[in-house]
Amino acid sequence: MTIATTSDTPVVANLADMANAIRVLAMDAVEKAASGHPGMPMGMADVATVLFSRFLKFDPAEPEWPDRDRFVLSAGHGSMLLYALLHLTGYPGMTAAELARFRQWGALTAGHPEYGHTPGVETTTGPLGAGIATAVGMALAEEMQRARFGRGFADHHTYVIAGDGCLMEGISHEAISLAGHLRLSRLIVLFDDNGISIDGAVTLSCSDDQLARFRASNWSVEAIDGHDLAAIEAALVRARAGDRPSLIACRTVIGRGAPTKAGSAATHGAPLGAEEIAATREAFGWQAPPFVVPDHIKAAWAQVGRRGQAARAAWGRRLSSAPEAQRHAFLDSLSPLVPQAAFEALHLLRASFIAAGTKIATRQASQRAIAALLPVMPTLAGGSADLTHSNLTQGHGQPAVQPRDFAGSYIHFGIREHAMVSALNGMALHGGFVPYGGTFLVFADYCRPAIRLAALMGLRVILVMTHDSIGLGEDGPTHQPVEHLAAYRAIPNLLVLRPADAAETAECWAIALAEERRPSLLALSRQALPCLPHDPALSKAARGAYVLREAAGDRQLTLMASGSEVAIVLEAADALAAEGLRVAVVSIPCFERFAEQPAEYRAEVLGNAPRIGVEAAIESVEWRRLLGDGGIFIGMTSFGASAPAGVLYQEFGITAGAVIAAARRLVGGA
Amino acid sequence: MTIATTSDTPVVANLADMANAIRVLAMDAVEKAASGHPGMPMGMADVATVLFSRFLKFDPAEPEWPDRDRFVLSAGHGSMLLYALLHLTGYPGMTAAELARFRQWGALTAGHPEYGHTPGVETTTGPLGAGIATAVGMALAEEMQRARFGRGFADHHTYVIAGDGCLMEGISHEAISLAGHLRLSRLIVLFDDNGISIDGAVTLSCSDDQLARFRASNWSVEAIDGHDLAAIEAALVRARAGDRPSLIACRTVIGRGAPTKAGSAATHGAPLGAEEIAATREAFGWQAPPFVVPDHIKAAWAQVGRRGQAARAAWGRRLSSAPEAQRHAFLDSLSPLVPQAAFEALHLLRASFIAAGTKIATRQASQRAIAALLPVMPTLAGGSADLTHSNLTQGHGQPAVQPRDFAGSYIHFGIREHAMVSALNGMALHGGFVPYGGTFLVFADYCRPAIRLAALMGLRVILVMTHDSIGLGEDGPTHQPVEHLAAYRAIPNLLVLRPADAAETAECWAIALAEERRPSLLALSRQALPCLPHDPALSKAARGAYVLREAAGDRQLTLMASGSEVAIVLEAADALAAEGLRVAVVSIPCFERFAEQPAEYRAEVLGNAPRIGVEAAIESVEWRRLLGDGGIFIGMTSFGASAPAGVLYQEFGITAGAVIAAARRLVGGA
């Protein structure tokens, strides 16, 4: 087989040699780093070579070209496969020197592929199964984009390389089930079926019939020899023509080419060693030193790197010649900037809540925010993990995505929290959408690895987590988050927003939308919360914490709370003020934002008086920092229990009475 | 169909009426609580009635009888199904009055079934999919127990009722794949195939062919009409006779019997309302008031409750007449007390580490601990989620469990973290084993919901979480836990143990084994750690924190650290002492334990001098509490990066030099 493009003089190159270039680069980089995974790149080099040279639509000159195919290395430990491909096809910065710096500080060649760090890496992978589930979101976003703008603007595929590990992880079930249900026909998974996992043969722990399993979830499936170049090509042709997602199980030999280690777990996660590398070179007839690729192979790969230029140019011409409104709508959808009208809608909503003194649950206020946004923000799309009527994530009349019908903007994710958030990540990575998704806060733990990846990648993903405390009542401790606020605040680069009433909820939605490089987790109440005494003219939640009510004179006490507990401290403040105490009340919808404020503002909010903090949750470090040694925290110290919410607040001692008692301990009093 | 037992006069009772008793109790309890889920109990009442009256081996007089069948209500929201069954068959305390207190403070009838709270509840369920995965561990423990002690002692089944939610969750894939691989033929899952989820029809979000899917994982499968009593019985007979786990898909009508609401999502999670309840009563010809069961039906159910007496008596006779050694071994295996020899083995191991000045990774020390325990602790059993050679969870020569061969004590869990910890929970619940399991600490998040359940249930489950910081190096931020120590410390009733060297690792294993009612998470280093200056005679880690080296005279500074950072503060202490500063060094292997010490001990350890705390992680509240307002924490404030470990410690500023600089800021100095 030869590789040729129309725009160049054909270069006669042996695809097998091109694949061996990947193998040699991978084994040499791992050897030099004395760390890494040569087995997978060597095993999947043939598949990747056929995919990149014959099918993948991409242009290294413009890694962000919106209509490129997405390539997801779900088996992220095989990062050298991807880095070798990026190098060989000419991605910016991916020089031989960077390959030689594999896994070193600051190198583009991190241990696992990192989105935002290395051009050409479509998503951060490594945590197994994450890639395939993220790819589902990319494929979904492509379908939704095509449904909105047409094939002229969006006409690409999502390819995934996944290993046994990805398919054994539970998230893979959620992902393939969702993709099969929606019939995401542009999603093609290449399964590196090498029969080896870290412990040894896959048969040590798994006997699944993967083809039957994917078929049961409505996928097209076939198995091929992953080293038969013609078979790979034929299977990809069939997969692209199908009307449902496709699994191609590629039977491969891990570490293919290493004379004594190929086929064994020894190649999975450790350097091959100098001797084996020399023998592999000999077997390949490979004379070149490490990180040098013979010219004819280099030239062939360079041609592969130029394959997409014409398609990108044609796409650009279609965009330029499109009707102005359509072109603008398309480009606006890709802009990180949320339209000003969205913020205006939220501002109006806030004002209406304050004017009406609206007493509703913050999850209800969130639904009103979604409803207000949808008409002015066509990129807003999201759903719930089968808790639509509890999370209140669907705007009135918001049409749902259906199998093969992607015009809607609401997604019934099913009871698949992990795949949901991974898909939201994929939608954010793909571009064109600001995705959101809901479940109960306690079940954020089911998708915690995906939330972590959203934070690590810096994606604007909005998590609508309702039933945020013991305030959910009777469902009991399995459903009551107590440690979750602390546990999610601990994740770097994630905003945890816990609004105290309807007005703050509208503000928190605005904060989340304005955060272009951070995910936001909205912790929302099941129960109704009274309207707080806001300044209608001044929106303050964006500062993270603010004085909701200043003391009448020099402060003797500062009461602080978040979410549903702000009303409790207000009640206590009233009682204490009636006793003549000068009490200020601070609402803290977002600790992360408050920590970023200037020191003067922080000092002004915190004051110098003793402090009491109230949150129906395990104390988080952010509280202890604000309260200081002398401050008192009133919250949870154990799991919750099953009973009506009011009873639980009493039994666990999170009441105005408890606040008043603590205040008396701190500052004396009546 | 009639129900009869050999020991009683047969009572002619209509199974359909018996099932209606469940339905009426469920709908009435939910109505009274004004909260709960009537649909599932009403839909699965027929299946449950056949299971309990014809098959389930149990004796309400002895809910903990070791050879009972286990019944797991994976669809835990249908808790009233279980409470009705416990009431009708005569479990202690489950009175009509308790049913009438459904979902109230302190009632046995919590919103979701809670293990340890309600006799007869085998495991806490509610988080979907948890039950089915926990049941895999129970079925595995039964097989392992039978392999050790024979059928005379262990001869029971594990039955699960699971709904669409359980099967859509990713954890279900891990669980069924593992069960099918191991051929756990005593595991029978009754799938409540009612076609309804919370959002509406299951077809809104799922098109899986569940039978094909389970078949792909080596299960026996069949589908039946879940309201055809004879079909249910026949299917259970076949399932029990099979040589692999069985799925019986029971096509049911959710809310069966409710004239206008049956078959709709409206019955799932809300009371039926007075009118519908009256109509349902009429349809059933049910005259009795709420929580009263007509005598003939009551009597029939009471007979069901006595069905197991003879079997239990026979089992008791077998136990009494067994050879003394075998009887003792069996009873010892069920005792919560770990044999003293285990603690002695760990004590000797600790001494040998100290004597030799052993410098190894704490994960290696943990492997030595496992190896030392295995010969003296036959109940120790565990494995790894395909990281055996990284987690070092397998003792030398420790035989592995194989499909259909359960004599071994090592389990290749596969790349299934969530099912692994759920299975560990199931093994602990079943009894007979002290289970442990390993993965990388960062991937604890994949099994976090199961860890939470272990803590909520108070199970002795030992989590061997290795590669516990940026110290793992090149794999990069996807593999480097930074927020995990804080996030796991936030879970109530979970011990987080982070030993500082080999000797402390042996001590931490002893702490974990001695904790009968708490899970322990061991956070272990990838990298070698030097042997600390321990007192060979005195083991102090059990106090949570201790003075590793006291200052020479009145303390001017206290340096505190956990795990791999203790060596760093020791190095800093040496340098500062050389400058004449009086510095104490405190090692903190376990914050939870330290918080439980008497105030005098805590004061003695903490001293009055300024403090610096060092941990290669995001600050947790436990640190801030110990450090106080004036203390300095040196740790992580962001995700990690890909580079060799030594480089990362330098770049992130977690070094002796940084400690020395902080010390100078705190106390002045050279």
Side-chain angles (χ1 to χ4, degrees):
Chain A
M1 199 182 295
T2 61
I3 163 75
T5 69
T6 48
S7 58
D8 291 289
T9 311
V11 174
V12 178
N14 187 320
L15 280 195
D17 282 342
M18 292 170 70
N20 284 345
I22 296 172
R23 292 188 170 97
V24 173
L25 289 172
M27 73 179 185
D28 285 346
V30 171
E31 189 72 13
K32 178 139 198 291
S35 156
H37 302 77
M40 189 284 225
M42 296 177 78
M44 285 298 278
D46 296 320
V47 171
T49 299
V50 173
L51 175 65
F52 272 65
S53 65
R54 313 293 284 192
F55 298 98
L56 197 77
K57 184 167 76 168
F58 69 109
D59 185 350
E62 178 88 27
E64 303 290 314
W65 171 31
D67 197 29
R68 71 195 181 279
D69 287 341
R70 305 312 196 260
F71 172 68
V72 172
L73 188 73
S74 191
H77 53 276
S79 56
M80 266 310 302
L81 176 74
L82 180 53
Y83 300 145
L85 288 161
L86 298 179
H87 169 67
L88 292 165
T89 56
Y91 273 81
M94 190 54 81
T95 59
E98 283 301 289
L99 297 184
R101 293 215 303 136
F102 183 49
R103 295 183 153 233
Q104 304 309 304
W105 178 262
L108 289 183
T109 47
H112 291 80
E114 293 182 28
Y115 168 79
H117 180 77
T118 308
V121 172
E122 299 284 4
T123 179
T124 297
T125 52
L128 292 173
I132 188 170
T134 306
V136 170
M138 294 175 177
L140 174 58
E142 194 268 349
E143 295 280 6
M144 291 172 68
Q145 195 175 47
R146 187 147 35 85
R148 283 154 176 74
F149 297 103
R151 201 161 171 159
F153 286 12
D155 188 21
H156 47 277
H157 285 74
T158 302
Y159 297 95
V160 179
I161 287 182
D164 284 292
C166 294
L167 300 194
M168 289 173 79
E169 291 285 3
I171 187 176
S172 70
H173 168 57
E174 299 182 12
I176 71 171
S177 176
L178 180 60
H181 173 70
L182 293 174
R183 306 292 166 114
L184 298 176
S185 61
R186 302 293 190 97
L187 177 63
I188 297 172
V189 171
L190 299 149
F191 166 34
D192 179 17
D193 185 11
N194 61 25
I196 293 291
S197 71
I198 292 177
D199 276 10
V202 168
T203 52
L204 270 179
S205 60
C206 189
S207 333
D208 290 340
D209 178 342
Q210 297 288 4
L211 295 190
R213 177 192 167 210
F214 276 74
R215 205 183 293 116
S217 290
N218 295 297
W219 285 55
S220 297
V221 301
E222 69 172 298
I224 59 167
D225 175 347
H227 302 300
D228 178 337
L229 301 170
I232 299 164
E233 179 168 10
L236 279 165
V237 167
R238 282 189 293 272
R240 288 164 47 96
D243 66 344
R244 48 187 70 197
S246 295
L247 173 77
I248 303 172
C250 309
R251 285 187 309 268
T252 61
V253 176
I254 191 170
R256 166 93 164 187
T260 75
K261 293 189 173 177
S264 93
T267 68
H268 170 80
L272 296 182
E275 202 175 323
E276 185 82 0
I277 284 178
T280 308
R281 277 192 147 67
E282 197 171 314
F284 292 164
W286 194 275
Q287 318 281 326
F291 309 111
V292 173
V293 176
D295 283 344
H296 67 291
I297 299 175
K298 203 167 167 176
W301 271 115
Q303 268 193 346
V304 169
R306 291 190 293 271
R307 272 183 52 242
Q309 287 175 352
R312 180 162 77 86
W315 179 86
R317 286 190 296 272
R318 286 196 298 277
L319 182 64
S320 310
S321 61
E324 191 174 328
Q326 194 192 15
R327 187 172 66 247
H328 278 301
F330 181 74
L331 293 175
D332 283 353
S333 78
L334 296 176
S335 163
L337 289 176
V338 165
Q340 195 52 35
F343 297 108
E344 283 160 15
L346 292 171
H347 190 70
L348 283 176
L349 181 66
R350 173 181 184 270
S352 75
F353 285 145
I354 295 171
T358 305
K359 180 182 176 176
I360 53 176
T362 53
R363 63 180 171 135
Q364 292 173 296
S366 170
Q367 189 177 34
R368 298 274 298 274
I370 292 169
L373 289 167
L374 284 168
V376 293
M377 196 180 154
T379 56
L380 191 68
S384 162
D386 195 47
L387 289 169
T388 295
H389 311 305
S390 297
N391 302 142
L392 302 177
T393 33
Q394 190 169 21
H396 183 70
Q398 184 180 3
V401 162
Q402 317 268 357
R404 296 202 186 94
D405 172 3
F406 301 95
S409 63
Y410 193 74
I411 302 148
H412 289 287
F413 282 108
I415 302 141
R416 306 184 182 104
E417 297 83 3
H418 202 171
M420 174 177 73
V421 179
S422 301
L424 299 180
N425 291 351
M427 292 171 73
L429 286 162
H430 179 277
F433 299 94
V434 175
Y436 68 92
T439 185
F440 289 159
L441 178 57
V442 80
F443 299 135
D445 283 359
Y446 274 71
C447 37
R448 187 173 169 96
I451 297 174
R452 183 178 208 262
L453 282 171
L456 181 56
M457 291 191 272
L459 302 180
R460 177 169 47 196
V461 162
I462 301 173
L463 304 162
V464 181
M465 299 297 183
T466 70
H467 296 62
D468 72 345
S469 74
I470 54 168
L472 70 83
E474 292 88 342
D475 274 346
T478 53
H479 285 55
Q480 290 160 358
V482 294
E483 73 276 28
H484 294 68
L485 294 173
Y488 286 87
R489 287 178 186 141
I491 296 180
N493 203 42
L494 170 68
L495 287 195
V496 176
L497 298 155
R498 190 167 187 250
D501 70 353
E504 267 195 15
T505 306
E507 293 179 79
C508 286
W509 261 99
I511 295 168
L513 292 179
E515 285 281 352
E516 293 170 20
R517 305 286 299 157
R518 280 199 281 202
S520 294
L521 186 157
L522 298 167
L524 302 174
S525 75
R526 177 194 185 203
Q527 70 273 32
L529 303 180
C531 183
L532 302 175
H534 291 289
D535 180 343
L538 205 55
S539 182
K540 296 174 181 169
R543 306 206 76 164
Y546 62 96
V547 179
L548 183 65
R549 195 161 72 192
E550 193 45 278
D554 279 356
R555 283 193 209 172
Q556 292 173 286
L557 180 69
T558 300
L559 299 180
M560 313 195 288
S562 83
S564 41
E565 286 70 67
V566 175
I568 291 173
V569 299
L570 266 179
E571 184 190 337
D574 285 341
L576 292 164
E579 294 176 11
L581 208 69
R582 298 186 300 278
V583 187
V585 173
V586 170
S587 176
I588 316 187
C590 182
F591 281 93
E592 295 83 7
R593 282 277 199 149
F594 185 57
E596 293 163 6
Q597 301 305 310
E600 311 79 61
Y601 177 76
R602 289 170 46 81
E604 183 190 315
V605 170
L606 295 174
N608 294 316
R611 295 167 202 144
I612 296 173
V614 185
E615 185 166 75
I618 299 283
E619 187 181 22
S620 51
V621 69
E622 293 78 10
W623 272 113
R624 187 42 50 198
R625 285 185 194 133
L626 294 198
L627 291 170
D629 289 347
I632 294 176
F633 178 76
I634 295 175
M636 296 292 292
T637 56
S638 69
F639 290 111
S642 173
V647 176
L648 294 172
Y649 271 89
Q650 286 293 330
E651 294 286 347
F652 288 110
I654 304 171
T655 60
V659 176
I660 292 165
R664 287 179 184 147
R665 288 204 304 281
L666 268 188
V667 295
Chain B
M1 198 184 294
T2 61
I3 162 74
T5 70
T6 50
S7 57
D8 291 288
T9 313
V11 174
V12 178
N14 188 319
L15 280 195
D17 282 343
M18 293 170 69
N20 283 345
I22 297 172
R23 292 188 170 97
V24 173
L25 289 172
M27 73 180 184
D28 285 346
V30 172
E31 189 72 13
K32 180 140 197 292
S35 155
H37 303 76
M40 190 282 224
M42 297 177 78
M44 285 298 278
D46 296 319
V47 171
T49 299
V50 173
L51 175 65
F52 272 64
S53 65
R54 314 292 286 191
F55 298 97
L56 197 77
K57 185 168 74 169
F58 70 109
D59 184 349
E62 178 88 27
E64 301 292 313
W65 171 29
D67 198 28
R68 70 192 183 280
D69 287 341
R70 304 309 196 264
F71 172 68
V72 173
L73 187 72
S74 191
H77 53 276
S79 57
M80 266 311 302
L81 176 74
L82 181 53
Y83 299 145
L85 289 161
L86 298 179
H87 169 67
L88 292 166
T89 56
Y91 272 81
M94 190 54 82
T95 60
E98 284 301 288
L99 296 185
R101 293 216 302 135
F102 183 50
R103 296 184 152 231
Q104 303 309 303
W105 178 262
L108 289 182
T109 46
H112 291 80
E114 292 182 30
Y115 169 79
H117 180 77
T118 308
V121 171
E122 299 284 4
T123 179
T124 297
T125 52
L128 292 173
I132 190 169
T134 305
V136 170
M138 294 176 177
L140 174 59
E142 194 268 347
E143 295 279 7
M144 292 171 67
Q145 195 176 46
R146 187 147 33 86
R148 283 154 177 73
F149 298 103
R151 199 160 172 159
F153 286 12
D155 188 21
H156 47 276
H157 285 75
T158 302
Y159 297 96
V160 179
I161 287 182
D164 283 292
C166 294
L167 301 194
M168 289 172 79
E169 290 286 2
I171 187 176
S172 69
H173 169 58
E174 299 183 13
I176 71 170
S177 176
L178 180 60
H181 173 71
L182 293 174
R183 304 293 166 115
L184 298 177
S185 61
R186 302 292 189 97
L187 176 63
I188 297 173
V189 171
L190 299 149
F191 165 34
D192 179 16
D193 185 12
N194 61 24
I196 293 291
S197 71
I198 293 179
D199 276 9
V202 168
T203 51
L204 270 179
S205 60
C206 188
S207 334
D208 289 340
D209 178 342
Q210 297 289 3
L211 295 189
R213 175 191 168 209
F214 275 73
R215 206 183 293 117
S217 289
N218 294 296
W219 286 54
S220 296
V221 301
E222 68 173 298
I224 59 167
D225 176 346
H227 303 300
D228 178 337
L229 302 169
I232 298 165
E233 180 169 10
L236 280 164
V237 168
R238 282 189 293 271
R240 287 164 50 96
D243 67 344
R244 50 186 70 196
S246 295
L247 173 78
I248 304 173
C250 309
R251 284 187 309 268
T252 61
V253 177
I254 191 170
R256 167 92 164 185
T260 73
K261 292 189 174 178
S264 93
T267 69
H268 170 81
L272 296 182
E275 199 176 325
E276 185 82 0
I277 284 180
T280 308
R281 275 191 150 69
E282 197 173 313
F284 290 165
W286 194 274
Q287 317 282 326
F291 310 113
V292 173
V293 176
D295 282 344
H296 68 292
I297 298 175
K298 203 166 168 176
W301 270 115
Q303 267 194 349
V304 170
R306 291 189 294 271
R307 273 182 51 240
Q309 287 176 353
R312 180 161 76 88
W315 180 87
R317 287 191 295 274
R318 285 196 299 277
L319 183 63
S320 308
S321 62
E324 191 175 326
Q326 194 192 13
R327 187 171 67 247
H328 278 301
F330 181 75
L331 293 174
D332 284 354
S333 78
L334 296 176
S335 164
L337 289 175
V338 165
Q340 195 51 36
F343 296 107
E344 284 161 13
L346 291 171
H347 189 71
L348 283 175
L349 181 65
R350 173 180 184 271
S352 77
F353 285 145
I354 295 171
T358 306
K359 179 183 176 175
I360 54 177
T362 53
R363 65 182 171 134
Q364 291 174 297
S366 170
Q367 188 177 37
R368 298 275 298 275
I370 291 169
L373 289 167
L374 283 168
V376 295
M377 196 181 155
T379 56
L380 191 67
S384 162
D386 195 49
L387 289 168
T388 295
H389 312 306
S390 298
N391 302 142
L392 302 176
T393 34
Q394 190 169 23
H396 183 69
Q398 183 179 4
V401 162
Q402 316 268 358
R404 296 202 185 93
D405 172 2
F406 301 96
S409 64
Y410 192 74
I411 302 148
H412 290 286
F413 282 107
I415 302 141
R416 305 182 183 105
E417 298 83 5
H418 201 172
M420 175 177 73
V421 178
S422 301
L424 300 179
N425 291 352
M427 293 172 73
L429 287 162
H430 179 277
F433 297 94
V434 175
Y436 68 92
T439 185
F440 290 156
L441 178 56
V442 80
F443 299 135
D445 283 358
Y446 273 71
C447 38
R448 187 173 169 96
I451 296 173
R452 183 177 208 261
L453 282 171
L456 181 56
M457 292 192 271
L459 303 179
R460 177 170 47 199
V461 162
I462 301 173
L463 304 163
V464 182
M465 299 295 183
T466 70
H467 296 62
D468 72 344
S469 73
I470 54 167
L472 70 83
E474 293 88 343
D475 274 346
T478 53
H479 285 54
Q480 290 160 358
V482 294
E483 73 277 26
H484 294 68
L485 294 173
Y488 286 90
R489 287 177 186 141
I491 295 180
N493 203 42
L494 170 69
L495 288 193
V496 176
L497 298 154
R498 189 166 187 250
D501 70 352
E504 267 195 15
T505 306
E507 293 179 78
C508 285
W509 260 99
I511 295 168
L513 292 179
E515 286 280 352
E516 294 171 20
R517 305 287 296 157
R518 280 199 281 202
S520 294
L521 184 157
L522 298 166
L524 303 173
S525 76
R526 177 194 186 203
Q527 69 275 31
L529 304 179
C531 183
L532 302 175
H534 292 288
D535 180 345
L538 206 55
S539 182
K540 295 175 182 167
R543 306 207 74 166
Y546 61 96
V547 178
L548 183 66
R549 196 162 71 193
E550 194 44 278
D554 280 356
R555 283 192 208 170
Q556 292 174 285
L557 180 69
T558 301
L559 300 180
M560 313 195 289
S562 83
S564 41
E565 287 70 68
V566 176
I568 290 173
V569 300
L570 267 177
E571 185 189 337
D574 285 342
L576 292 164
E579 294 176 9
L581 209 66
R582 298 186 300 279
V583 186
V585 172
V586 171
S587 176
I588 314 186
C590 182
F591 281 94
E592 295 84 7
R593 283 277 199 149
F594 186 57
E596 293 163 4
Q597 300 306 309
E600 312 78 61
Y601 177 76
R602 288 168 46 80
E604 184 189 317
V605 170
L606 294 174
N608 295 314
R611 297 167 201 143
I612 296 171
V614 185
E615 185 167 75
I618 298 283
E619 187 181 21
S620 51
V621 69
E622 294 78 9
W623 272 114
R624 187 44 48 198
R625 285 184 194 134
L626 295 197
L627 292 170
D629 288 348
I632 293 176
F633 179 76
I634 296 174
M636 298 291 291
T637 56
S638 69
F639 291 110
S642 175
V647 175
L648 294 172
Y649 272 90
Q650 287 293 330
E651 293 286 347
F652 289 109
I654 304 171
T655 61
V659 176
I660 293 165
R664 287 181 184 143
R665 286 205 303 281
L666 268 189
V667 296

